[in-house]
Amino acid sequence: MAHPPIKFVSGMPILGPFAENWENVLRFQAREDDVMINTYPKSGTTWMSEIVDQLFNAGDTKKTDRGAIFERVPFLEFAVPDMPSTTQTLDNMKNRRVIKSHLPVELVPKSFWEKNSKIIYVARNAKDLLVSYYHFHRMAIVHPDPGTFEEFIQTFMEGPISFGLWSDHVKGWWKIRHQKNVLYLFYEDMLEDLKREIGKVVKFLEMDLPDDILEKISQHTTFKAMKKNKMTNYVTCPTTVMDHTISPFMRKGICGDWKDQLTVAQNELLDQYLKREMSDTDLTFRYTL
Ligand code: PPS
């Protein structure tokens, strides 16, 4: 199964093995109290997942240590041979569900809108994301072989790439950001002031937690804390899915890593591309902090 090719479902490129379970994703039954964490890959999904699970457990790490993040916050579209699909796992979950998804807004199963489930969207700047996604393609071997970094830049800009183009994804969700059941946040804002951004999540989820618990959760969800926590750093994920000897899942967790990774020419190419792609939106990103 190493590096299977991309397939298309409902017009969207998706990881080959995930395509086999697509009908069950479309038919998925959301619940009113579900919380979906939606992102383009590598935008802070795991970070936000841990934050929300921490909030639901009032920062009690004995409870949040009950399983790895990918078990506590199942990934809706995930499906690989010889493992139960996530849609099946989620159907069987009795407690309140926090669900990870990378689906573009137009492909979110319609039951999420019918049930008015809450959705937290996290967006990250394209350049750091591109670098992160490249290394992830190398280590998470359900992805196609990314080729050289130079080749991957082309794939990032033109596709096909799983979950479609970054620009379409972030702009699509941006258009519906004022909907009451949607909260749109930025990775860079979380890096700048994590407690402030956690406060937005608390308000959105209509929760009430004392300041000392929020402080504890902020400490527990720093990059440093999550990198050494085996419940959040993906080291327990089967090696048939991720190979951390190639690149760790928790790699750098910063804003501005792209400056060390992109050549001047690659950076110029991306700037031109971003200028074109983002000319029809008021959505902007921070590339340095
Ligand atoms: S995935 O595979 O799409 O679910 O990946 P995702 O979790 O969205 O993104 C992984 C990147 O997020 C970084 N990360 C963090 N950064 C800062 N603080 C915290 N707590 C944190 N947790 C995860 C992770 O390191 C990946 O980014 P890079 O740039 O590769 O380090």
Side-chain angles (χ1 to χ4, degrees), residues 39-51 75 100 102 124 128-129 131-133 135-136 140 143 187 190-191 194 220-227 232 234 242 247-255 257:
T39 62
Y40 191 77
K42 313 322 288 178
S43 303
T45 333
T46 314
W47 196 3
M48 186 52 70
S49 301
E50 181 64 12
I51 289 169
F75 180 11
K100 159 180 170 174
H102 291 314
R124 186 181 190 185
D128 285 322
L129 185 143
V131 174
S132 180
Y133 211 7
H135 292 294
F136 191 58
H143 290 78
Y187 179 93
M190 291 168 68
L191 276 181
L194 182 54
H220 188 81
T221 53
T222 61
F223 178 77
K224 208 170 151 204
M226 283 182 57
K227 188 176 170 71
T232 54
Y234 272 90
M242 287 184 193
S247 176
F249 182 89
M250 301 289 290
R251 214 176 45 85
K252 291 196 180 167
I254 58 171
C255 174
D257 184 32

Side-chain angles (χ1 to χ4, degrees), residues 72-124:
R72 288 178 284 138
V73 180
F75 180 11
L76 180 63
E77 304 88 70
F78 184 85
V80 292
D82 306 323
M83 277 173 81
S85 66
T86 304
T87 45
Q88 217 178 319
T89 309
L90 283 164
D91 286 343
N92 294 335
M93 275 174 85
K94 301 257 181 307
N95 296 336
R96 189 170 188 185
R97 304 180 300 189
V98 185
I99 303 171
K100 159 180 170 174
S101 173
H102 291 314
L103 293 176
V105 67
E106 63 279 10
L107 290 185
V108 167
K110 68 175 188 308
S111 62
F112 282 95
W113 308 114
E114 288 162 357
K115 299 285 182 192
N116 212 22
S117 318
K118 289 194 182 332
I119 304 177
I120 301 172
Y121 186 81
V122 187
R124 186 181 190 185

Side-chain angles (χ1 to χ4, degrees), residues 14-30:
I14 198 168
L15 297 176
F18 291 13
E20 309 311 318
N21 197 45
W22 184 241
E23 286 306 313
N24 289 328
V25 172
L26 290 179
R27 277 199 296 266
F28 181 73
Q29 287 307 306

Side-chain angles (χ1 to χ4, degrees), residues 5-6 8 13 15 40 126 129-130 133-134 137 143-168 269-270 273 277:
I6 290 279
F8 281 79
L15 297 176
Y40 191 77
L129 185 143
L130 159 73
Y133 211 7
Y134 173 68
H137 270 73
H143 290 78
D145 182 347
T148 63
F149 184 55
E150 188 79 19
E151 285 163 346
F152 187 72
I153 293 175
Q154 290 302 323
T155 307
F156 181 80
M157 293 191 303
E158 289 160 18
I161 186 163
S162 54
F163 304 104
L165 296 180
W166 167 89
S167 54
D168 293 337
L269 183 72
L270 275 163
Y273 167 79
E277 286 294 309

